[in-house]
Structure formats: C-alpha cells, structure tokens
Amino acid sequence: MGNLGCGCPGSMARVIERQQTEETATIKVPSELRQWPVQLHLVPPTAPYFQQADILISADCVAYAMGNMHQDLLKGKALAIACPKLDDTTAYVEKLAHIFSANDIKSITVAIMEVPCCRGLDIIVREALAKSGREIPLESLVIGINGERRN
C-alpha cells in the first residue's frame, strides 16, 4: 500500500481482493434512480422530486463501494451526492438548508464512507438542518471501504 502524501488516511492506496463467481458476473440489477441531476451543486432546491420526499445525501464513493447501494439505500428516495473533500462545499450548508425549508421533507439519510475526510458531509447536513429550522428525522450511515455498513 502506498500513501499519496497528503496525510489523509482515506487517500491511502489499497487493493481490495474479491473473488468473482459466475453468479456475480451475470446478475443485472435495475437502477433505483428517480431524478436528474444528482450532484448537490446542480440539484434545484425546489425541484418537485424533493416535495414529500425521503432524501438520501450520499458521499460520491458510497455508490462504488457498496454493491447494493441502489436497493439498500436509494430505493424510494430523492438523491443528492457530494464529496466533502474534493467539492467546493462553501455553498452546501445554505443550499441544503433551502432544500429542507422549501420542501416537506419526510426524512434525511446521510451516507458517508468510513474515511475521516468524509465526515464533513455529515457535519454539513446537520448544520443545514439546524439552519433550516425544521424538525426532520435524520439518520447517518457509515459505509466501510469493503462496502459494508459500519453502524
């Protein structure tokens, strides 16, 4: 394993060994995506898919790490994705607060990776919820690099 030199343990190069079986090579799983766009910078705060919605706010890497992400996390939810390490997140608290206050949101699920730099997304969502003045159920999920739920 090599280190990229930035000091963040989440940026350490790793190889994840997986055994491919005939069964995993042939399964076709349908997408549960219900709207476009999905990137937080691009979603309109008053888009109709946020009204009366359960929202999933997911770190970008979750969908790649978690094989059943669509069925386990996304199904039936509106989606916004973001990367707290690589995105310019300065507007995220305001934008999410606007989404939360302008729509009748049923619940919020935040899905982040286990790496330390990903925790910023959970903090951003919590700040936005407080700023919105709304009482919306919030669940935070941590996904391991191997794709398993850590909590």
Side-chain angles (χ1 to χ4, degrees):
M1 290 198 265
N3 192 318
L4 296 178
C6 69
C8 175
S11 297
M12 188 182 324
R14 304 174 196 199
V15 174
I16 301 170
E17 298 290 334
R18 302 231 190 260
Q19 223 175 13
Q20 185 170 339
T21 65
E22 191 63 33
E23 182 179 300
T24 58
T26 60
I27 295 174
K28 302 284 189 224
V29 180
S31 173
E32 295 293 340
L33 187 62
R34 300 171 53 202
Q35 100 270 343
W36 192 260
V38 297
Q39 214 295 328
L40 185 53
H41 277 298
L42 302 176
V43 295
T46 57
Y49 47 79
F50 286 133
Q51 198 54 244
Q52 294 287 315
D54 294 300
I55 296 179
L56 172 62
I57 302 168
S58 178
D60 295 350
C61 295
V62 168
Y64 296 100
M66 188 177 191
N68 285 335
M69 182 270 203
H70 279 242
Q71 288 66 38
D72 292 352
L73 299 183
L74 180 57
K75 189 172 189 169
K77 293 183 174 80
L79 176 65
I81 64 169
C83 177
K85 182 172 181 162
L86 301 177
D87 294 353
D88 175 4
T89 61
T90 52
Y92 281 173
V93 170
E94 288 296 325
K95 184 157 197 178
L96 286 168
H98 187 187
I99 291 169
F100 300 157
S101 63
N103 299 284
D104 187 17
I105 306 296
K106 293 185 202 173
S107 71
I108 303 164
T109 303
V110 181
I112 62 172
M113 296 298 298
E114 68 179 325
V115 296
C117 45
C118 214
R119 299 222 180 262
L121 186 57
D122 190 54
I123 293 167
I124 288 167
V125 173
R126 289 175 186 281
E127 286 178 15
L129 184 55
K131 188 170 190 148
S132 76
R134 303 288 302 276
E135 299 258 344
I136 303 170
L138 173 65
E139 178 182 21
S140 295
L141 304 173
V142 178
I143 308 302
I145 290 173
N146 287 329
E148 77 284 358
R149 284 190 189 187
R150 301 297 280 219
N151 55 347

